[in-house]
Amino acid sequence: MPEPTALQSADALLLPRWLLPMEPAGALLTGHAVAIRSDKILDVGPTDALERRWRPRERVELPEHVLLPGLINAHTHAAMTLLRGIGDDLPLRRWLEEAIWPREAALMSEEFVYDGTLIAAAEMLRGGITTAVDMYFYPEAAARAFTTMGMRSVLGITVIDFPTPYAADADEALAKGLAVRDAWREEPLVSFLLAPHAPYSVGDAALERIATLAAQLDLPVQIHLLETAQEREESHARHGETPLERLDRLGLLGPGLVGVHAVHLTESEIALLAERGVALVHCPTSNMKLASGIAAVPQWLDAGIAVGLGTDGAASNNRLDLFQEIRHAALLAKVSQGRAEVLPAIQALELATIGAARALGLDARLGSIRPGKAADLTAVALDAVETQPCYDPCSHLVFVAGREHVSDVWVAGRRRVANGQLLLQESNSHLTALAQNWRQRIQLQTR
Amino acid sequence: MPEPTALQSADALLLPRWLLPMEPAGALLTGHAVAIRSDKILDVGPTDALERRWRPRERVELPEHVLLPGLINAHTHAAMTLLRGIGDDLPLRRWLEEAIWPREAALMSEEFVYDGTLIAAAEMLRGGITTAVDMYFYPEAAARAFTTMGMRSVLGITVIDFPTPYAADADEALAKGLAVRDAWREEPLVSFLLAPHAPYSVGDAALERIATLAAQLDLPVQIHLLETAQEREESHARHGETPLERLDRLGLLGPGLVGVHAVHLTESEIALLAERGVALVHCPTSNMKLASGIAAVPQWLDAGIAVGLGTDGAASNNRLDLFQEIRHAALLAKVSQGRAEVLPAIQALELATIGAARALGLDARLGSIRPGKAADLTAVALDAVETQPCYDPCSHLVFVAGREHVSDVWVAGRRRVANGQLLLQESNSHLTALAQNWRQRIQLQTR
């Protein structure tokens, strides 16, 4: 914390009723304020001390609000928002092979990705999400869309073994993705990771290349992992080993690897992942809707695995809503373990903030409200009738409030949502018209 | 349908983009309108035919909306909204015995019930719920609150064997409840049912008396049933029979009985309930949060049981939000059965409308949009960015939209919500102040 001798300037002083910094763990503060300057959190402390210490250009009164770190969506496919709700009531493989992949083959383009990502970013920002990890194609288009909306993104350099409109093969996808990473090196809101789609859709050669690149470039790797039981059986049949054995043989099973879904891990696999420092992302709604199963999240956490939460794409969820994922994580953990005390509210909130930041290796910059971290912040109003009365704001954030109660959102110190409305060049009506235009094209092309 | 020879008057003509009448099953209509007069649906049909047939006092354009029957909350404890979120992370019995019953013993009063029910009704109406089945005490206070808010209610004459501030024993509770029923006989928005709390909390004598009264007065009976596995074990220990065997011996296991939760039914018990015409209410969120288990709803439906959905009370959910229950019913059915095709969107919507009406014996008046039925209607706007694009409005109602997208609600032909705002004497700020006042009293009294 700086120790100014005279009153120094801050860009804004935020004055919430409750401050939920997520570090130290479990702290819920009243009478505290947050000062921000430029893109960073400048100071956190008792309101009177901060009032004495800083001269803010703006004071933001949040008298019935909880202020918490901006939520981190640790796994999505943003552009698939244009396919929202297509192919309901199908299990994962049929959903991919019958509903999604044929449409993507016909439709995917730079324009599709840019427009779909714009709409996804609008939905996420308004719902209190300040960072998204995106696994899709045309990362340059996604980078333009996320930065246009003022949202932070971690873009996957996505690799899949069959040809797509984006790339003929894994090598082309990697080459194009790494070129985009070079071109966007100076943009602070954008970073990258390597994203092989899944063990069943990416061959040994590409996975080995990705392991090498990850080590050389110090890039994380995100991969769909054991989302269904079928994946284990197929891996045995095709490779004579489990998916984890295969990833281990190919040099990927270590820190920096982020497995997504991981519904079908054995106990010893959970222990192995913990030992290796592999992180996991839980996507509870997608796992329910596709009938993939219920992940053993409490066991992951007990083993010491870093865990984030993801919405998955809007074609399988069908909301990019982390409040929903937080609630579902808590509810599913309780009912699947048969113990109501499992995954209490504060722990569920960790999954969407500091937990996700740790899982992605971003916890030095994101995930909690501490001086020096990025000023990515979300305020939630708890004064609506349906949120009253309130005995415990943490419980309310998980079990009562929804993204509809998000009032204000800051990303890198800039307010992007105020009073529940996006502050953007891209207006709601423009985005809605864009979506409706795409719906017509998609229905025509895939009739 | 009437066949007027000249243009006749209607109170309103509603012109939605999509009409989801719920009867005939699965119908989704475009270019259709609904005429209402007084408290009833007057006519349903192609817009041009209705325009020729009726001269409405008001035309309501709903250009981006689905119009569906008002949702039916088949099980709640409305006044417990004042205890919203108290006692999180506890299993059912500990939650009741440590968090809820002691507070109720200290607090419960006519004023508590009136104020709590007002707040609950505001939340439910704004969320598209037009009817609630309420199991609580002081039904006269609840009747006043629901009718003040203009919401339809089915009030439980609630019986529990231990003394409460409301009644010393079952006989007093029944006598008081039946007197309230007599006093409110002329109010069309209010009806009654008998509500023994649960087999484990009501003795044989009271259950027998309730069976007799139900037959004499033609009243339905709603009871918490096999919410936890413990209930079966205790019944064996105390009575030497299962809860269902006991209800059967006491004359309750037949049409008119509505079991709530029913998480722990065996296959043969499901067949027995179907054979006897017993209806069930599914409360998926409460069952998850209290770790009670996952009810076998697809098996209930396959057996032919009439099924409704309930929010349960705000102390164990903690939202009175049927959109959430509809989504959870669909998601839980898919993941628990391991089949993504189970409980598709339209079937999930039935549970909250015509299914609930059948379960409660109210399907002659409620649950679908047909001429002659009550004009209880809910409009949901699907033009927000987060609901775009839309390929299938039924899917969107279940997996994308939330109660925050409810724009207009009619109960018995009167508009109670317009553009997402309650049209009420009781303003939001009054209700919020009421809730905050109770929170202070409750925290003081139960410190």
Side-chain angles (χ1 to χ4, degrees):
Chain A
M1 195 189 301
E3 295 276 354
T5 50
L7 221 55
Q8 295 192 6
S9 71
D11 288 341
L13 192 63
L14 315 186
L15 303 149
R17 173 152 177 196
W18 296 284
L19 179 66
L20 187 63
M22 303 312 297
E23 284 188 298
L28 176 71
L29 307 166
T30 54
H32 275 59
V34 176
I36 63 185
R37 185 159 62 197
S38 180
D39 59 346
K40 297 275 193 316
I41 294 166
L42 178 64
D43 200 359
V44 180
T47 302
D48 52 358
L50 264 67
E51 298 266 24
R52 283 195 303 271
R53 210 174 286 152
W54 305 106
R55 192 179 57 238
R57 285 196 300 110
E58 185 190 17
R59 289 170 54 90
V60 183
E61 306 277 354
L62 299 164
E64 296 291 344
H65 303 63
V66 190
L67 186 68
L68 71 162
L71 304 181
I72 298 171
N73 186 357
H75 180 68
T76 191
H77 311 282
M80 292 179 82
T81 299
L82 295 179
L83 303 174
R84 192 194 296 280
I86 273 190
D88 276 354
D89 308 322
L90 291 173
L92 176 70
R93 281 302 176 84
R94 287 189 56 206
W95 174 77
L96 281 174
E97 291 168 8
E98 297 172 23
I100 299 302
W101 285 343
R103 286 195 173 89
E104 288 184 334
L107 295 162
M108 200 201 295
S109 67
E110 209 163 320
E111 187 195 4
F112 178 93
V113 171
Y114 180 77
D115 290 350
T117 306
L118 270 190
I119 295 164
E123 178 181 0
M124 288 192 274
L125 272 176
R126 203 158 93 172
I129 299 171
T130 52
T131 299
V133 180
D134 188 35
M135 183 193 275
Y136 210 63
F137 305 97
Y138 298 95
E140 197 274 336
R144 279 191 289 116
F146 278 117
T147 52
T148 295
M149 301 299 280
M151 183 169 167
R152 196 181 297 279
S153 61
V154 182
L155 299 175
I157 295 170
T158 302
V159 172
I160 199 161
D161 258 1
F162 57 76
T164 67
Y166 175 61
D169 56 23
D171 281 345
E172 190 183 351
L174 285 168
K176 282 185 165 180
L178 292 172
V180 174
R181 176 173 168 266
D182 283 342
W184 286 76
R185 199 176 283 277
E186 300 302 318
E187 170 55 56
L189 287 182
V190 171
S191 65
F192 291 83
L193 50 70
L194 295 164
H197 174 266
Y200 61 83
S201 55
V202 185
D204 282 13
L207 288 173
E208 247 169 344
R209 174 108 201 275
I210 286 166
T212 306
L213 284 169
Q216 284 173 349
L217 304 174
D218 195 22
L219 283 173
V221 178
Q222 185 171 93
I223 188 167
H224 292 126
L225 188 61
L226 284 161
E227 183 172 359
T228 66
Q230 186 185 359
E231 193 177 327
R232 182 186 302 279
E233 293 157 25
E234 282 187 5
S235 181
H236 265 295
R238 285 169 54 188
H239 305 283
E241 56 198 345
T242 66
L244 290 193
E245 286 164 352
R246 190 163 155 248
L247 293 180
D248 195 16
R249 173 171 57 79
L250 298 169
L252 278 162
L253 212 66
L257 185 68
V258 184
V260 181
H261 299 299
V263 174
H264 297 276
L265 293 175
T266 64
E267 272 181 52
S268 60
E269 286 176 336
I270 292 172
L272 175 68
L273 294 180
E275 189 193 308
R276 295 295 184 86
V278 174
L280 294 174
V281 176
H282 180 39
C283 301
T285 308
S286 176
N287 293 338
M288 283 195 274
K289 185 153 186 291
L290 297 170
S292 302
I294 301 176
V297 177
Q299 280 73 24
W300 302 355
L301 293 168
D302 287 348
I305 293 174
V307 180
L309 277 184
T311 59
D312 214 349
S316 72
N317 181 323
N318 306 338
R319 290 161 75 106
L320 306 182
D321 175 3
L322 266 185
F323 280 87
Q324 172 172 277
E325 301 312 315
I326 293 168
R327 184 175 307 140
H328 286 170
L331 292 173
L332 268 189
K334 291 173 192 298
V335 75
S336 67
Q337 310 276 319
R339 291 185 296 134
E341 62 274 27
V342 170
L343 213 73
I346 187 71
Q347 206 175 7
L349 290 163
E350 283 171 3
L351 302 181
T353 53
I354 188 67
R358 288 184 186 129
L360 298 164
L362 297 172
D363 50 315
R365 292 197 295 135
L366 305 178
S368 65
I369 301 179
R370 294 183 63 172
K373 284 205 179 186
D376 290 9
L377 299 159
T378 291
V380 182
L382 296 182
D383 56 349
V385 171
E386 68 271 16
T387 61
Q388 287 293 322
C390 175
Y391 297 92
D392 175 353
C394 288
S395 165
H396 264 40
L397 287 176
V398 176
F399 297 115
V400 177
R403 63 177 177 185
E404 66 273 23
H405 301 109
V406 168
S407 65
D408 298 84
V409 179
W410 290 260
V411 183
R414 295 202 45 189
R415 182 134 60 156
R416 299 298 185 179
V417 175
N419 300 313
Q421 300 299 316
L422 286 171
L423 303 173
L424 289 166
Q425 297 161 296
E426 309 292 338
S427 69
N428 281 346
S429 57
H430 168 71
L431 295 170
T432 300
L434 211 55
Q436 292 179 347
N437 186 269
W438 272 102
R439 178 179 55 73
Q440 285 164 3
R441 284 173 63 178
I442 289 167
Q443 285 179 322
L444 280 175
Q445 285 187 27
T446 59
R447 189 167 277 172
Chain B
M1 193 190 305
E3 294 277 353
T5 50
L7 220 55
Q8 295 191 6
S9 71
D11 288 341
L13 192 62
L14 315 186
L15 303 149
R17 172 153 177 197
W18 296 284
L19 179 66
L20 187 64
M22 302 313 297
E23 286 188 298
L28 177 71
L29 307 167
T30 54
H32 275 60
V34 176
I36 61 184
R37 186 158 64 198
S38 180
D39 59 344
K40 297 275 194 314
I41 294 166
L42 179 63
D43 200 358
V44 180
T47 303
D48 52 358
L50 264 67
E51 297 267 25
R52 283 195 302 270
R53 210 176 285 153
W54 305 106
R55 194 180 56 238
R57 284 195 299 110
E58 185 189 16
R59 289 170 55 91
V60 183
E61 305 277 353
L62 299 163
E64 297 291 343
H65 303 63
V66 191
L67 187 69
L68 71 161
L71 303 181
I72 299 171
N73 186 356
H75 180 69
T76 192
H77 311 282
M80 292 179 80
T81 299
L82 294 180
L83 304 173
R84 193 193 297 278
I86 274 191
D88 276 354
D89 307 323
L90 292 174
L92 177 70
R93 281 301 176 85
R94 286 190 55 206
W95 174 78
L96 281 173
E97 291 169 7
E98 296 172 24
I100 299 301
W101 286 342
R103 287 196 172 89
E104 288 184 332
L107 295 161
M108 201 201 295
S109 67
E110 208 163 319
E111 188 195 2
F112 177 93
V113 171
Y114 181 77
D115 290 349
T117 306
L118 271 190
I119 294 163
E123 178 181 1
M124 289 193 274
L125 272 176
R126 202 158 93 171
I129 299 170
T130 52
T131 299
V133 180
D134 187 35
M135 182 193 274
Y136 210 62
F137 304 96
Y138 298 95
E140 198 272 337
R144 279 190 290 115
F146 278 118
T147 51
T148 296
M149 302 298 282
M151 183 170 166
R152 196 181 297 280
S153 61
V154 181
L155 299 175
I157 295 170
T158 302
V159 173
I160 199 161
D161 259 2
F162 57 77
T164 67
Y166 175 62
D169 56 22
D171 281 345
E172 190 185 350
L174 285 169
K176 282 185 165 179
L178 292 172
V180 175
R181 176 172 168 265
D182 283 343
W184 285 77
R185 199 176 283 278
E186 302 301 319
E187 169 54 57
L189 286 183
V190 172
S191 65
F192 291 84
L193 52 68
L194 295 163
H197 173 265
Y200 63 82
S201 55
V202 185
D204 282 13
L207 288 173
E208 247 169 345
R209 174 107 202 276
I210 285 166
T212 306
L213 283 169
Q216 284 173 350
L217 304 173
D218 195 22
L219 283 173
V221 178
Q222 186 170 95
I223 188 166
H224 292 126
L225 188 61
L226 284 159
E227 183 171 359
T228 66
Q230 186 185 0
E231 193 178 325
R232 182 186 301 280
E233 293 155 26
E234 283 187 4
S235 181
H236 265 295
R238 285 167 56 188
H239 304 284
E241 56 198 344
T242 66
L244 290 193
E245 286 164 352
R246 190 163 155 249
L247 292 181
D248 195 17
R249 172 171 59 78
L250 299 168
L252 277 163
L253 211 66
L257 184 69
V258 184
V260 181
H261 299 298
V263 173
H264 296 276
L265 293 175
T266 64
E267 272 181 51
S268 60
E269 285 176 336
I270 292 172
L272 175 68
L273 293 180
E275 188 194 311
R276 295 297 184 84
V278 173
L280 294 174
V281 177
H282 180 39
C283 301
T285 308
S286 176
N287 295 159
M288 284 193 275
K289 184 154 186 293
L290 297 170
S292 302
I294 301 177
V297 177
Q299 281 72 21
W300 302 355
L301 294 169
D302 286 348
I305 294 173
V307 180
L309 277 184
T311 59
D312 215 347
S316 72
N317 181 323
N318 307 336
R319 292 160 74 106
L320 306 182
D321 175 4
L322 267 185
F323 281 87
Q324 171 171 277
E325 302 310 316
I326 292 168
R327 183 175 309 141
H328 286 170
L331 293 173
L332 267 190
K334 292 174 192 300
V335 75
S336 67
Q337 310 275 320
R339 291 184 297 133
E341 64 274 28
V342 170
L343 214 74
I346 187 71
Q347 206 174 9
L349 290 164
E350 284 171 3
L351 302 181
T353 53
I354 188 67
R358 288 186 186 126
L360 298 164
L362 297 172
D363 50 315
R365 292 198 293 135
L366 304 178
S368 65
I369 301 180
R370 295 182 62 173
K373 284 205 178 185
D376 289 9
L377 299 160
T378 291
V380 183
L382 295 182
D383 57 348
V385 170
E386 69 270 16
T387 61
Q388 287 293 322
C390 175
Y391 298 92
D392 175 353
C394 287
S395 166
H396 264 40
L397 287 176
V398 176
F399 297 115
V400 177
R403 62 177 177 185
E404 66 273 23
H405 300 110
V406 168
S407 64
D408 299 84
V409 179
W410 290 260
V411 183
R414 293 200 50 187
R415 183 135 59 155
R416 298 298 185 180
V417 175
N419 300 315
Q421 300 299 315
L422 286 171
L423 303 173
L424 289 165
Q425 297 160 294
E426 308 292 339
S427 70
N428 280 347
S429 56
H430 169 70
L431 294 170
T432 300
L434 210 56
Q436 291 179 348
N437 185 270
W438 272 103
R439 177 180 55 73
Q440 285 165 1
R441 284 173 64 177
I442 289 167
Q443 284 179 323
L444 279 176
Q445 284 187 28
T446 60
R447 189 169 276 172

